[in-house]
Amino acid sequence: MNRTMSAVAEQNEMMWDFVDDAADVLLGDLDTEIASTPYEVVYRQDRVKVKYYRSEAKTKMKTPLLITYALINRETMLDLQPGRSVVQTFLDSGMDIYMIDWGYPTRKDRFMGIDDHVNGYMDDVVDFIREREQIDKINLMGICMGGTFCVMYSALHPEKIKNLVTTVAPTSFDTDQGLLHSWMRSVNVDRMMDTLGNMPGDLMNFGFLLLNPARLMIDKYLSFMENMNSKDFVENFVRMEKWIFDSPDVPGETFREFVKECYQENKLIRNQLVLGGRTVDLKNVTMPLLNIYGQYDHLVPPAACEQLTKAVGGSDVEDVCINTGHIGIYVSSKCQKEFAPRISQWLKDRDGDAAAPQPVKTTGRSSKKSLKNKKNPDTIVKRAAGDDETAITSRREKEQV
């Protein structure tokens, strides 16, 4: 009896110690800032802007890297917290980074399709970087849906891309792995987009949670309750929650096309996708390709990624499967030691001499190119970096004129 009472008293004391520690953490100052690595906004067009991160490393790569995130969630995932920042690892390795921030689509963006993003915004950004850096080709890295866009872009504009890196990027959609693929094949996306206009970010978040509710809606918060006396755990938890629930809407036409032409008709891997009147032929992807995906990714399973290297036209291709999930590949401490350093070394091995500058060809698709001052390419940089959102005319408005 005495032993039992002693054990109860000890457990009671431990519980109150836990409560006291948790109160100190939750009521104290918490550092929950995300995306804290310094950058400069060097380009704006409509809702889209480009962040520039300058490496201070002593030995720098000749070719900068453009990172294209998905239209779902935000690119801040790559710079979530100190010590677990893909961006900072790249900078430390000597890479200058440009990163597309897709912004927050509004009702007026509902008719923007995949072609507008790939042959429009992305092509404008790539040409801007080529002219700003005075190089012919850049390195391109895409994440999730952004990686799919990068594959499309590289197939349509291979002359502008030196090396291509895709991470958890779906390119083959004919798989039963993962509940998301089953849902997307059966959804009536026309009715959905005709009703909603844009695809609401909050609705997508709820759908993602339903893919694994036990882990994503129960286990996660039980873990928080068990660890809320740890300042580091609480800070990291809040950072992740900030990122998860910072969810822009997706332009309705882009979502419609992505579901119908990719998930339901699987046109990309079959070389049947047409953008801007041109067929996206993966055999045109002849530049070196590093294709990374997660073994336990419930959103983009390995079967959706691993077909790409067999479909492209290049011979310098590599698949890397990491034992983690869709998000862990970027933020887990274990993957931080493998993911970003591996990409850095792979790009460094293929850096070589920067290509000689070539005249940037104007396609006539956007207003940005018509605003460039060819004698002084920095003009566009100074204007884009300012606070005046109207400095660059809307591409769609210009086309209508």
Side-chain angles (χ1 to χ4, degrees), residues 70-358:
L71 298 183
I72 302 166
N73 289 115
R74 299 268 290 153
E75 76 290 341
T76 49
M77 165 56 64
L78 299 182
D79 189 28
L80 197 64
Q81 66 190 73
R84 296 186 185 182
S85 170
V86 173
V87 167
Q88 190 59 57
T89 302
F90 284 164
L91 294 176
D92 291 344
S93 72
M95 267 192 284
D96 282 348
I97 298 172
Y98 293 86
M99 186 184 297
I100 295 179
D101 177 352
W102 293 111
Y104 295 87
T106 62
R107 186 76 177 174
K108 69 181 178 64
D109 296 304
R110 66 189 181 277
F111 299 116
M112 304 289 283
I114 295 176
D115 178 51
D116 294 295
H117 291 84
V118 174
N119 285 320
Y121 291 126
M122 282 186 66
D123 195 37
D124 289 349
V125 169
V126 169
D127 282 351
F128 165 76
I129 296 170
R130 292 166 62 222
E131 184 167 335
R132 185 174 192 255
E133 297 282 346
Q134 289 298 289
I135 57 176
D136 190 37
K137 297 183 179 183
I138 67 168
N139 292 330
L140 184 62
M141 173 177 166
I143 293 151
C144 192
M145 182 187 193
T148 311
F149 282 4
C150 286
V151 172
M152 297 173 185
Y153 183 85
S154 298
L156 294 170
H157 307 277
E159 74 281 359
K160 300 179 184 181
I161 304 303
K162 184 178 180 68
N163 299 292
L164 174 62
V165 179
T166 54
T167 64
V168 295
T171 49
S172 178
F173 298 82
D174 186 18
T175 175
D176 291 325
Q177 291 184 13
L179 186 57
L180 180 62
H181 286 259
S182 298
W183 282 3
M184 291 299 100
R185 280 201 296 268
S186 60
V187 69
N188 187 336
V189 70
D190 286 328
R191 184 175 182 180
M192 182 181 292
M193 292 302 97
D194 289 345
T195 302
L196 296 173
N198 290 332
M199 183 61 183
D202 290 339
L203 180 58
M204 284 189 295
N205 260 340
F206 183 63
F208 292 147
L209 292 175
L210 291 179
L211 292 173
N212 195 337
R215 182 168 65 86
L216 299 177
M217 291 195 287
I218 298 175
D219 289 354
K220 178 174 73 169
Y221 294 107
L222 286 176
S223 180
F224 174 79
M225 296 293 290
E226 293 170 354
N227 293 278
M228 61 184 181
N229 63 330
S230 167
K231 188 172 185 290
D232 287 343
F233 183 93
V234 171
E235 288 178 341
N236 294 340
F237 182 90
V238 174
R239 288 189 185 105
M240 181 60 71
E241 292 296 279
K242 279 185 174 181
W243 175 79
I244 290 174
F245 293 103
D246 181 9
S247 303
D249 298 345
V250 175
E253 193 60 27
T254 297
F255 188 81
R256 186 199 309 266
E257 292 173 357
F258 202 74
V259 171
K260 292 181 72 171
E261 302 202 7
C262 293
Y263 277 100
Q264 296 180 351
E265 300 177 21
N266 200 25
K267 288 184 176 181
L268 178 59
I269 202 71
R270 296 172 178 170
N271 296 327
Q272 296 173 355
L273 182 67
V274 177
L275 295 180
R278 298 173 58 195
T279 299
V280 181
D281 186 350
L282 297 185
K283 292 301 180 183
N284 292 332
V285 180
T286 55
M287 71 289 298
L289 167 64
L290 177 63
N291 183 40
I292 302 179
Y293 47 92
Q295 179 67 39
Y296 306 109
D297 192 332
H298 69 291
L299 294 177
V300 186
C305 304
E306 60 191 6
Q307 301 302 315
L308 177 62
T309 53
K310 304 179 184 69
V312 298
S315 57
D316 185 0
V317 297
E318 181 179 356
D319 283 312
V320 176
C321 185
I322 299 179
N323 292 326
T324 187
H326 193 75
I327 304 303
I329 201 169
Y330 305 107
V331 300
S332 76
S333 55
K334 180 180 179 181
C335 290
Q336 283 293 309
K337 299 175 182 178
E338 180 179 1
F339 175 72
R342 183 155 192 165
I343 294 173
S344 299
Q345 188 59 54
W346 186 86
L347 288 173
K348 189 175 294 185
D349 291 343
R350 290 156 180 80
D351 197 34
D353 294 329
Q358 299 291 332

Side-chain angles (χ1 to χ4, degrees), residues 7-130:
V8 170
E10 183 177 350
Q11 288 295 322
N12 189 56
E13 184 178 357
M14 290 173 61
M15 181 190 73
W16 282 110
D17 287 343
F18 177 88
V19 171
D20 284 342
D21 291 342
D24 289 341
V25 170
L26 298 177
L27 297 176
D29 293 331
L30 294 173
D31 179 10
T32 60
E33 182 182 4
I34 62 177
S36 58
T37 303
Y39 64 84
E40 176 188 2
V41 175
V42 294
Y43 174 82
R44 295 180 189 270
Q45 184 182 174
D46 303 330
R47 71 179 192 277
V48 179
K49 63 183 179 182
V50 174
K51 301 175 179 178
Y52 172 63
Y53 300 82
R54 179 178 176 82
S55 172
E56 300 297 335
K58 292 182 179 179
T59 303
K60 295 183 61 173
M61 296 188 200
K62 299 180 177 67
T63 310
L65 175 68
L66 171 62
I67 299 177
T68 303
Y69 201 80
L71 298 183
I72 302 166
N73 289 115
R74 299 268 290 153
E75 76 290 341
T76 49
M77 165 56 64
L78 299 182
D79 189 28
L80 197 64
Q81 66 190 73
R84 296 186 185 182
S85 170
V86 173
V87 167
Q88 190 59 57
T89 302
F90 284 164
L91 294 176
D92 291 344
S93 72
M95 267 192 284
D96 282 348
I97 298 172
Y98 293 86
M99 186 184 297
I100 295 179
D101 177 352
W102 293 111
Y104 295 87
T106 62
R107 186 76 177 174
K108 69 181 178 64
D109 296 304
R110 66 189 181 277
F111 299 116
M112 304 289 283
I114 295 176
D115 178 51
D116 294 295
H117 291 84
V118 174
N119 285 320
Y121 291 126
M122 282 186 66
D123 195 37
D124 289 349
V125 169
V126 169
D127 282 351
F128 165 76
I129 296 170
R130 292 166 62 222

